[in-house]
Amino acid sequence: MNHPLLQIEKVNKQFGGVAALDDVSLSIEAGEIYGLIGPNGAGKTTFFNVMTGLYTPDSGRFQLDGQEYQPTAVHQVARAGIARTFQNIRLFNAMSALENVMVGRHVRTHNGVWAALSGHSRGREEEAQTRAHAHRLLAYVGLAGFANYRADSLSYGHQRRLEIARALATEPRLLALDEPAAGMNASEKVQLRSLLEKIRDDGHTLLLIEHDVKLVMGVCDRISVLDYGRVIAVGAPAEVRRHPQVIQAYLGAGAHV
Amino acid sequence: MSLATAVSPSSKRASLGLLLFALALVLAPWIVGHAGGNTWVRTLDFALLYIMLALGLNIVVGYAGLLDMGFIAFYAVGAYLAALLSSPHLLQQFPALLALLPEGMHTSIWLILPLAALLAAGFGVILGAPTLRLRGDYLAIVTLGFGEIIRILLRNLDRPVNLTNGPKGIAQVDPVTLLGVNLGRTQELFGLRLPSVYLYYYLFAALVVLILFACIRLERSRIGRAWMAIREDEEAAQAMGLNTLRLKLLAFAIGAAFGGISGALFASFQGFVSPESFTLNESIAVLAMVVLGGMGHIPGVILGCVLLAALPEALRASMGPLQQALFGQVLVDPEIIRQLFYGLALILAMLYRPAGLWPSRTGGAP
């Protein structure tokens, strides 16, 4: 039933002779929560930036849903079907929560200047749909009562959820979350976990790049571990946890668990 | 209840505000004219031109968050286009053209306004394209340079072919003729004696309403939201799939178009244009109106225009007599006091109302 959604083959990226990504290959299947972990400097962020078009890889190929995927500009990524959230929350602060999500609908809607000025019925209809869709997504992530609040007036955990709603508004094939648990307290993490599982169960594919090993082990279906730009282990959380190279990468050589 | 600010645009209050605004707009020249005569109605006319300019600049600075210090260039483009198309200047320079149009050009305002909007929008794109990757201060400096380039070009394009008549400017620009009514003369309409400044007032007011309408619609549209998203966080906006380069160009073009319309009206109203009207000071004055009123908030921008267009005139008119009454003679040139107050008002506003006198409740300051 499952098919590979994002296939990454032998991606390389060097920075002045240092291989930040060294022949990285992974395959994310549709409908799973895929975790990418690794110690600091392992290449997680570089990978994320290559995937989202910020950096161009030196070599290697990406296939999204069976089609060649090669973003040349950051704004093409969302259109192609990969939406992201940011490690340090980046919302449109002075706009309301609802407007933030409505901006997420931008790539899937068409109203231009003429629609705005003339107010023709097709344009108004699209605008109403955008609004309704955004309300639904706010409710989906548990922010139904906050539609008219300024984004920066929301609590930290709510801002994270708003970012997820905004990303979902682009109708992504892959939702990539960059350290979504960063700065969250224990109860916020529990809520985040159930939200991520709900999103997966509703048919979405998620990629999680995360420091919090406990969260990743708990929520991910499969995990890849990066170290010094190479994939050192792939598998279910239970397998990866026992992998000797992973233990070595995290705890140092000679460690026994 | 959380301390968070709820943003609930009450439509009832908005429509009441709109009604009051419309009433004020219709009655203003009669009240002002009754109190201070036609000179003051003329000041109102200029305030309306400034409102058009400021609403255009507000799209660029207030919505898209792009600091433009040379906005007056688009006003100049519109003004010179109108001047060239409705004055004898071109015909005097090119006898071949005169042979073609012995009666003079006398281009209709219905043609001049769209052309001015289009040409200014074109210049907006020309300015925008190379500067789109710049942000903040760097963008401000380049746009400032652009404004000066346009002014210096207008000053020097009297050679080798006399296009702009250089520093002497272009005179004898036709007044606006609307449906056969010459707005340059006093007219009897519906039993009312309407001096030229009143006629222009209502023409400008109608265009302000049109531009206002366009701005409100844009602000609440997919495009307006995209502009504001770019203003708030350009990188996040790109990650949401917004083609930020194209959207910024669009903001420049639309803002410039409003500036061009305002400029064309200015030329017909004055009957004369010269490069002196389009100095850096003017760019800064319009920017000050937007910032003082409240960036990105239309009512605030309008308030800023009315205040900054009227305040200097009020001070100019009152400072002389005031000194006479107090000291029996004029000690300080009213013109100097005027500039002093103007500066003081801006400093106070920046200190105590940095988001503007009437800021948007969702806030717009970058």
Side-chain angles (χ1 to χ4, degrees):
Chain A
M1 185 184 84
N2 284 354
H3 67 282
L5 180 83
L6 182 68
Q7 276 185 303
I8 294 143
E9 275 169 48
K10 300 203 168 176
V11 167
N12 284 282
K13 179 73 190 172
Q14 295 217 336
F15 290 113
V18 178
L21 295 178
D22 189 358
D23 268 350
V24 170
S25 299
L26 5 136
S27 171
I28 301 175
E29 297 199 343
E32 70 176 344
I33 301 183
Y34 197 95
L36 187 63
I37 60 170
N40 279 329
K44 299 189 299 286
T45 302
T46 306
F47 175 79
F48 207 88
N49 288 338
V50 166
M51 190 182 72
T52 53
L54 218 55
Y55 300 156
T56 321
D58 299 330
S59 65
R61 54 198 283 248
F62 283 76
Q63 274 197 316
L64 185 63
D65 232 353
Q67 283 180 342
E68 210 69 29
Y69 162 74
Q70 210 171 27
T72 51
V74 176
H75 73 264
Q76 292 169 355
V77 174
R79 197 172 293 277
I82 297 181
R84 67 168 295 182
T85 65
F86 294 86
Q87 184 180 338
N88 45 337
I89 299 173
R90 301 185 76 153
L91 288 165
F92 307 125
N93 282 332
M95 299 168 78
S96 70
L98 185 72
E99 285 169 327
N100 268 270
V101 183
M102 287 172 85
V103 170
R105 293 295 302 152
H106 189 91
V107 277
R108 303 295 169 220
T109 46
H110 308 284
N111 274 349
V113 173
W114 180 241
L117 293 183
S118 70
H120 61 62
S121 62
R122 201 153 36 82
R124 280 207 309 271
E125 202 174 301
E126 184 188 278
E127 183 74 6
Q129 279 167 4
T130 301
R131 189 169 292 272
H133 196 132
H135 273 298
R136 276 202 303 279
L137 279 170
L138 281 179
Y140 183 75
V141 300
L143 294 175
F146 296 93
N148 290 327
Y149 282 62
R150 260 178 76 117
D152 59 1
S153 72
L154 299 178
S155 74
Y156 192 79
H158 283 167
Q159 291 195 20
R160 284 268 178 226
R161 285 163 178 270
L162 181 55
E163 255 204 331
I164 292 173
R166 184 180 67 177
L168 283 174
T170 66
E171 291 173 29
R173 289 191 267 199
L174 178 71
L175 176 60
L177 307 162
D178 192 0
E179 307 215 5
M184 280 192 167
N185 63 33
S187 79
E188 282 172 332
K189 277 181 193 170
V190 172
Q191 288 172 359
L192 175 71
R193 186 179 158 170
S194 62
L195 176 62
L196 296 183
E197 282 166 349
K198 180 167 83 164
I199 293 171
R200 175 197 56 197
D201 295 343
D202 288 332
H204 285 94
T205 312
L206 290 89
L207 170 64
L208 215 62
I209 293 188
E210 187 49 75
H211 247 81
D212 190 317
V213 176
K214 201 177 142 202
L215 176 80
V216 172
M217 291 294 174
V219 76
C220 290
D221 301 304
R222 287 195 308 142
I223 294 170
S224 275
V225 186
L226 275 182
D227 192 28
Y228 292 111
R230 323 182 64 141
V231 178
I232 56 171
V234 187
E239 302 165 40
V240 168
R241 200 199 304 265
R242 288 194 304 269
H243 199 285
Q245 264 185 291
V246 176
I247 295 167
Q248 192 182 334
Y250 269 91
L251 301 174
H256 300 281
V257 181
Chain B
M1 185 60 204
S2 133
L3 284 171
T5 31
V7 194
S8 61
S10 137
S11 63
K12 211 176 220 172
R13 257 191 56 192
S15 48
L16 184 71
L18 219 59
L19 194 73
L20 283 176
F21 176 74
L23 209 64
L25 200 62
V26 171
L27 294 180
W30 300 98
I31 297 164
V32 169
H34 192 74
N38 283 354
T39 347
W40 276 94
V41 181
R42 197 176 160 76
T43 302
L44 271 188
D45 290 359
F46 275 105
L48 289 178
L49 287 177
Y50 275 123
I51 290 176
M52 291 179 219
L53 267 176
L55 286 174
L57 183 60
N58 184 47
I59 288 181
V60 181
V61 180
Y63 297 165
L66 303 162
L67 187 50
D68 185 348
M69 301 271 290
F71 193 71
I72 209 71
F74 306 122
Y75 190 56
V77 166
Y80 267 85
L81 180 83
L84 289 174
L85 290 184
S86 61
S87 79
H89 175 73
L90 276 186
L91 299 182
Q92 283 160 7
Q93 299 309 317
F94 305 101
L97 211 57
L98 183 62
L100 217 65
L101 300 160
E103 306 278 308
M105 294 176 91
H106 306 300
T107 314
S108 154
I109 190 77
W110 300 113
L111 187 62
I112 287 178
L113 287 184
L115 277 181
L118 271 179
L119 188 69
F123 272 85
V125 172
I126 290 172
L127 163 67
T131 59
L132 284 174
R133 287 167 207 280
L134 302 175
R135 288 183 201 185
D137 305 349
Y138 302 100
L139 179 67
I141 290 169
V142 175
T143 51
L144 187 152
F146 175 79
E148 286 298 282
I149 288 170
I150 295 286
R151 184 178 64 83
I152 292 166
L153 266 180
L154 294 173
R155 233 182 114 83
N156 291 286
L157 273 181
D158 51 349
R159 285 156 302 157
V161 181
N162 187 352
L163 269 181
T164 64
N165 210 21
K168 290 195 291 292
I170 300 172
Q172 288 176 273
V173 183
D174 291 343
V176 175
T177 304
L178 211 58
L179 310 170
V181 178
N182 183 343
L183 302 195
R185 296 208 194 96
T186 301
Q187 300 282 355
E188 294 268 355
L189 284 179
F190 318 113
L192 276 173
R193 256 180 70 81
L194 288 169
S196 171
V197 282
Y198 284 67
L199 297 169
Y200 272 107
Y201 176 89
Y202 287 111
L203 171 65
F204 293 175
L207 279 157
V208 162
V209 168
L210 261 180
I211 289 176
L212 205 58
F213 184 73
C215 286
I216 292 172
R217 286 227 155 156
L218 281 171
E219 183 182 323
R220 294 174 187 171
S221 73
R222 169 173 174 267
I223 301 291
R225 279 193 301 273
W227 283 334
M228 287 178 230
I230 292 171
R231 177 191 73 200
E232 293 299 310
D233 190 329
E234 189 165 350
E235 218 173 288
Q238 276 176 347
M240 289 301 112
L242 274 59
N243 186 342
T244 54
L245 295 187
R246 242 173 59 191
L247 284 159
K248 286 199 241 173
L249 266 190
L250 190 63
F252 266 119
I254 294 180
F258 294 161
I261 290 174
S262 179
L265 292 170
F266 165 74
S268 310
F269 179 50
Q270 288 277 77
F272 171 71
V273 290
S274 83
E276 293 317 301
S277 307
F278 311 108
T279 56
L280 177 60
N281 269 337
E282 286 292 308
S283 280
I284 292 173
V286 180
L287 189 61
M289 289 168 181
V290 174
V291 174
L292 178 79
M295 260 190 273
H297 191 224
I298 292 172
V301 170
I302 293 173
L303 178 71
C305 289
V306 174
L307 282 182
L308 286 193
L311 183 77
E313 298 310 314
L315 287 172
R316 203 201 320 252
S318 61
M319 278 304 134
L322 186 70
Q323 289 186 58
Q324 280 286 356
L326 284 176
F327 314 114
Q329 57 174 325
V330 176
L331 292 172
V332 188
D333 184 3
E335 182 63 22
I336 291 173
I337 298 187
R338 181 177 78 87
Q339 299 214 1
L340 216 75
F341 268 92
Y342 193 82
L344 187 70
L346 283 180
I347 291 171
L348 287 178
M350 286 300 101
L351 277 176
Y352 297 106
R353 300 301 299 252
L357 293 174
W358 192 353
S360 153
R361 241 186 310 172
T362 29

